[in-house]
Amino acid sequence: MHSEKASVGLRLAAWGGLLFLHFPILIIFLYAFNTEDAAFSFPPKGFTLNWFAVAFARPDVLEAIKLSLQVACLATLIALVLGTLASAALYRRSFFGKESISLMLILPIALPGIITGIALLSAFKRLDIEPGVFTIVIGHATFCVVIVYNNVIARLRRTSQSLIEASMDLGADGWQTFRYIILPNLGSALLAGGMLAFALSFDEIIVTTFTAGHERTLPIWLLNQLSRPRDVPVTNVVAMLVMLVTMLPILGAYYLTRGGESVAGSGK
């Protein structure tokens, strides 16, 4: 009886913690549908879809969404290529300095974003590179690579080496072995890593602030909206969009990798 009470108490505590964490998000979702004539009232006075039409009719919102999607796609592509190559290289061979290289690969996601942003800005200024889309993509790729690397190397550790050896023994060359043996085994890990990288890039703001120059991604647009109280309903709609775009890939990545015990990189 005592253990049952303890179990119920733990469940209540867990649900209470989840409610505490997600209550502000629920408020944003609620106010995104609030009626036009009661945008600042509590509790909400009614239900409307009007603010969605207003938000998606604004050129500044559409430009910010387009830029964020472009940056997230490019950063994810770079992360998939570099993260996969890095994990394959570090998994296959043992050599002097391997642990140091692994640490350097993981370090960008462990450092505070403001440190990464200042370091990137200093490097771009030293190289006379003007801040813009290119610098934003490079900045996002620095931590997106880690996400893909962690997922892929975790999957490689669970892939039987005997499959690769059998493929080579049967006459397959390196490309055929990669295409028919390694790549199918890495498929879900690559997909999960790419989805996580896309989600993190889409809503990144700290590194973006230092590398964007005059460009405005969606998170930067949202930050600027804080000084415009008349646009609060539209801001709520866009904030809800950002949360959905980032939450769905993360949930998808979780379901793709939940069977693996050693998959890392599930968040920044």
Side-chain angles (χ1 to χ4, degrees):
M1 181 66 69
H2 181 72
S3 61
E4 290 180 1
K5 289 182 179 179
S7 178
V8 171
L10 288 173
R11 287 182 187 147
L12 290 175
W15 282 109
L18 287 173
L19 180 62
F20 175 78
L21 291 172
H22 292 90
F23 183 74
I25 297 176
L26 295 175
I27 291 295
I28 290 178
F29 273 65
L30 185 64
Y31 272 85
F33 298 97
N34 196 17
T35 55
E36 182 176 359
D37 59 344
F40 300 96
S41 64
F42 185 85
K45 302 299 182 182
F47 179 90
T48 182
L49 296 175
N50 177 65
W51 297 118
F52 289 83
V54 173
F56 289 107
R58 289 180 50 163
D60 56 335
V61 174
L62 297 178
E63 286 297 320
I65 293 174
K66 180 182 176 181
L67 179 59
S68 288
L69 289 173
Q70 179 184 357
V71 169
C73 289
L74 290 174
T76 301
L77 181 61
I78 294 172
L80 285 171
V81 174
L82 297 183
T84 303
L85 293 176
S87 60
L90 292 175
Y91 167 72
R92 292 187 63 186
R93 296 285 184 267
S94 294
F95 52 88
F96 177 75
K98 177 179 177 178
E99 297 301 324
S100 299
I101 294 176
S102 298
L103 177 62
M104 290 176 65
L105 277 168
I106 298 173
L107 197 58
I109 209 170
L111 288 174
I114 190 170
I115 301 298
T116 303
I118 291 173
L120 286 168
L121 181 60
S122 300
F124 292 141
K125 284 187 175 181
R126 182 62 61 90
L127 297 172
D128 292 326
I129 299 175
E130 288 295 323
V133 176
F134 174 75
T135 55
I136 300 174
V137 171
I138 297 301
H140 288 198
T142 56
F143 57 81
C144 288
V145 167
V146 185
I147 302 299
V148 177
Y149 167 79
N150 280 342
N151 279 277
V152 173
I153 201 166
R155 182 59 54 84
L156 286 172
R157 288 169 181 161
R158 300 199 307 275
T159 300
S160 175
Q161 188 68 25
S162 60
L163 292 174
I164 300 174
E165 294 172 355
S167 174
M168 303 297 282
D169 288 341
L170 291 171
D173 56 27
W175 168 247
Q176 289 174 320
T177 300
F178 175 78
R179 180 181 177 185
Y180 295 110
I181 303 299
I182 299 177
L183 193 57
N185 279 283
L186 295 181
S188 60
L190 287 171
L191 182 58
M195 292 167 72
L196 284 171
F198 179 88
L200 290 177
S201 174
F202 189 81
D203 72 349
E204 161 57 38
I205 188 170
I206 300 177
V207 173
T208 310
T209 302
F210 289 92
T211 58
H214 297 293
E215 301 290 343
R216 287 203 307 174
T217 60
L218 201 54
I220 291 180
W221 182 90
L222 285 169
L223 182 63
N224 293 336
Q225 287 296 109
L226 294 178
S227 59
R228 299 175 181 177
R230 292 184 178 274
D231 282 348
V232 166
V234 174
T235 305
N236 287 334
V237 170
V238 178
M240 186 179 74
L241 172 67
V242 172
M243 285 186 285
L244 289 176
V245 170
T246 54
M247 181 172 55
L248 294 177
I250 290 173
L251 289 174
Y254 165 73
Y255 282 108
L256 283 171
T257 58
R258 60 178 175 174
E261 296 145 3
S262 57
V263 173
S266 56
K268 184 176 176 186

